[in-house]
Amino acid sequence: MKLINLAAVALLAGLLNSCSSIPPVAVNGTVSATSVEATEITLAASYANLAERGGKVFQLDPKLSTVRIYVFRAGSAARLGHNHVLSAPTFSGFVYVPDGASAAARFDLAFRLDQLEIDKPEFRAALGGAFSSVISPEMIASTREHMLGAENMQAEQYPLVRIHALQITGESPRFAAKVRVEMHGQAREMWLPLRVEGLPDRVTAAGSLVLRQSDFGIKPYSVFGGLMAVQDEVVIEFNLVGGK
């Protein structure tokens, strides 16, 4: 997903409302239908608007950042299955750091499920333990088909995952962020711990959250009556680096 330059969309900022946060798209827990491209443009224009109000806006760099999703095996024959690590090689994201209180700070991260890389050997090796097994290309292809396909996350129909900060509390470098997670056409709110460092010239934001697939209307993968399956809970872990 190509990152959008702030300068290229600054003119769009005037078309947005004057609220300093990103306009919500969730109504009664359901996310309105917007394209991935439209989300990118909206994010960039919104943060261009924030930059005009003072403070600093940092555009996140996928080449320096990591976004990982951990999926865990389940079922009575779980020992025959594998844990999985999915990674987002590209994404769109911004961080806004105001001149004043941290409560006005914001960040957004958006990535595509259909662009996720699955079980890269170097990522599995670095985790060790229950992730250390080597998975063949054929097994990776099968995992993609089952996990992201029509019977599970439906990545073709719902490609976008977006994490939007609604509220940030705490003091540098430790914060708590209330975020809205949009996935599979649903939106849910939750709190997560956040570590922010590197200011004022750049920003590094690290955090993690646990999602239950069923909370977003997703049926966790399962075959043979649950003999082999994946756990409902998945972990999203991110370490984001951005510059001005």
Side-chain angles (χ1 to χ4, degrees):
M1 187 183 300
K2 183 179 180 181
L3 288 176
I4 299 176
N5 191 288
L6 282 173
V9 296
L11 292 178
L12 294 176
L15 300 177
L16 303 175
N17 66 43
S18 59
C19 178
S20 62
S21 62
I22 309 301
V25 297
V27 179
N28 296 327
T30 302
V31 179
S32 62
T34 56
S35 71
V36 175
E37 293 76 13
T39 298
E40 279 192 306
I41 293 173
T42 299
L43 284 180
S46 298
Y47 278 86
N49 191 25
L50 288 172
E52 293 179 352
R53 298 170 180 273
K56 295 182 175 65
V57 169
F58 300 90
Q59 187 170 13
L60 299 175
D61 186 346
K63 294 181 180 179
L64 302 177
S65 307
T66 58
V67 178
R68 306 276 169 81
I69 303 173
Y70 302 102
V71 182
F72 306 98
R73 58 191 174 184
S76 55
R79 63 183 180 83
L80 301 178
H82 301 276
N83 297 319
H84 300 283
V85 53
L86 289 65
S87 54
T90 185
F91 58 79
S92 292
F94 298 90
V95 175
Y96 170 64
V97 180
D99 292 329
S102 62
R106 291 290 181 269
F107 72 88
D108 270 270
L109 172 67
F111 61 91
R112 296 179 61 126
L113 290 174
D114 57 352
Q115 292 181 339
L116 292 177
E117 298 174 334
I118 298 178
D119 288 322
K120 295 192 71 173
E122 60 268 35
F123 296 162
R124 294 183 62 83
L127 290 167
F131 286 87
S132 61
S133 59
V134 177
I135 299 182
S136 69
E138 292 76 18
M139 293 175 65
I140 289 175
S142 177
T143 298
R144 176 177 295 278
E145 178 183 355
H146 292 144
M147 193 178 301
L148 301 181
E151 300 301 320
N152 191 217
M153 291 188 179
Q154 298 177 289
E156 183 175 346
Q157 183 177 356
Y158 302 105
L160 188 69
V161 175
R162 179 181 172 189
I163 302 172
H164 166 58
L166 299 168
Q167 180 183 353
I168 297 178
T169 63
E171 294 187 33
S172 181
R174 301 291 180 179
F175 298 90
K178 183 180 182 181
V179 300
R180 183 178 67 241
V181 180
E182 300 167 11
M183 182 174 69
H184 201 254
Q186 301 291 316
R188 298 290 182 266
E189 295 180 3
M190 61 191 68
W191 285 89
L192 60 88
L194 191 65
R195 186 181 76 250
V196 179
E197 299 174 317
L199 297 171
D201 297 324
R202 56 186 283 163
V203 65
T204 299
S208 61
L209 61 155
V210 178
L211 302 183
R212 290 175 59 91
Q213 298 178 69
S214 58
D215 287 344
F216 293 85
I218 299 171
K219 183 179 179 181
Y221 175 69
S222 177
V223 292
F224 306 124
L227 184 67
M228 296 187 67
V230 299
Q231 295 180 24
D232 194 5
E233 297 79 13
V234 301
V235 175
I236 299 180
E237 183 179 77
F238 55 86
N239 194 325
L240 309 172
V241 179
K244 293 183 289 185

